[in-house]
Amino acid sequence: MKLVFATNNRHKLQEVRDILGERVEVLSLKDIDCNDEIPETGTTLEENALIKARWVKEKYGYNCFADDTGLEVEALGGAPGVYSARYAGEECDSQANMLKLLENLTGKSNRNAQFRTVIALIIENKEILFDGVVKGVISEKKMGDAGFGYDPIFIPDGYGMSFAQMESTLKNSISHRYRATEKLNDYINNNI
């Protein structure tokens, strides 16, 4: 079975391929020659995931899924949330986003946060949403070199290390994306 994952992020692509295994051939946007800059104009993770999945389905005709992920920090009213990838500005990178977040948490004792992923699946014109959440705290400083995004400053509950300090197999087994992708996997295995 082939499904297009509406991403070119190689980290996310490998993570999802590992979880879904050999039963599903997961293609990237590059694999289907989609070089479109898909707009993410939604105000929620759900809206953005659906926008991307609908784009691929409508323009390329493939059964597909898309995700959107946000880091939601309690002391910041859920920010950066849907704006996590561009928290420090449109042209900024992960480093700038992390620095802005750490700066905005200066002096705050509540560092509770959660990563949340929403996956929108469109298969045979049916739309289904799956979500995954991992709770934790934001560290005082960057820790570790692995992972991507906010991984160096996010410590999941029950672990004394950041996502960026974990081996990928451990991180992938507890992450928000894993939890959402497992729900997607269960749906595929039980309904298709």
Side-chain angles (χ1 to χ4, degrees):
M1 169 183 193
K2 287 185 184 181
L3 277 177
V4 173
F5 181 13
T7 190
N8 278 320
N9 181 314
R10 61 185 172 85
H11 298 289
K12 285 203 260 186
L13 192 61
Q14 190 56 54
E15 205 172 319
V16 166
R17 283 177 173 160
D18 289 346
I19 294 165
L20 292 180
E22 295 179 12
R23 181 164 185 256
V24 179
E25 182 183 353
V26 180
L27 304 173
S28 69
L29 292 174
K30 183 179 177 183
D31 293 332
I32 63 166
D33 293 321
C34 173
N35 299 306
D36 305 347
E37 194 66 40
I38 303 174
E40 294 184 43
T41 55
T43 57
T44 66
L45 299 175
E46 291 82 359
E47 286 175 6
N48 277 344
L50 281 166
I51 287 168
K52 291 185 276 188
R54 287 172 180 158
W55 184 280
V56 170
K57 184 67 175 171
E58 289 167 13
K59 293 192 181 281
Y60 296 88
Y62 289 96
N63 287 326
C64 60
F65 63 97
D67 77 323
D68 201 21
T69 295
L71 176 63
E72 301 168 340
V73 181
E74 269 184 28
L76 302 178
V82 72
Y83 305 106
S84 293
R86 50 196 183 276
Y87 188 49
E90 288 293 332
E91 302 303 316
C92 291
D93 61 9
S94 296
Q95 285 291 91
N97 289 334
M98 277 190 286
L99 290 174
K100 180 175 180 179
L101 183 66
L102 290 173
E103 185 180 303
N104 288 344
L105 284 175
T106 301
K108 297 196 184 325
S109 58
N110 178 0
R111 300 181 80 83
N112 293 335
Q114 67 179 19
F115 265 122
R116 191 164 69 92
T117 293
V118 174
I119 293 176
L121 170 68
I122 301 179
I123 193 155
E124 308 308 331
N125 298 315
K126 184 176 182 182
E127 296 180 351
I128 307 108
L129 294 173
F130 309 94
D131 73 332
V133 173
V134 63
K135 294 184 179 296
V137 295
I138 303 299
S139 62
E140 298 279 340
K141 61 182 189 237
K142 289 174 37 187
M143 304 181 321
D145 299 318
F148 59 102
Y150 294 91
D151 286 357
I153 61 171
F154 183 80
I155 302 169
D157 286 351
Y159 295 86
M161 65 182 94
S162 75
F163 268 168
Q165 292 174 302
M166 294 180 172
E167 290 193 19
S168 63
T169 52
L170 174 58
K171 180 200 166 194
N172 290 351
S173 72
I174 63 168
S175 78
H176 45 293
R177 189 168 296 103
Y178 171 81
R179 292 174 181 181
T181 306
E182 271 297 297
K183 291 176 183 176
L184 168 66
N185 196 30
D186 288 346
Y187 180 84
I188 290 169
N189 288 332
N190 294 315
N191 296 286
I192 298 169

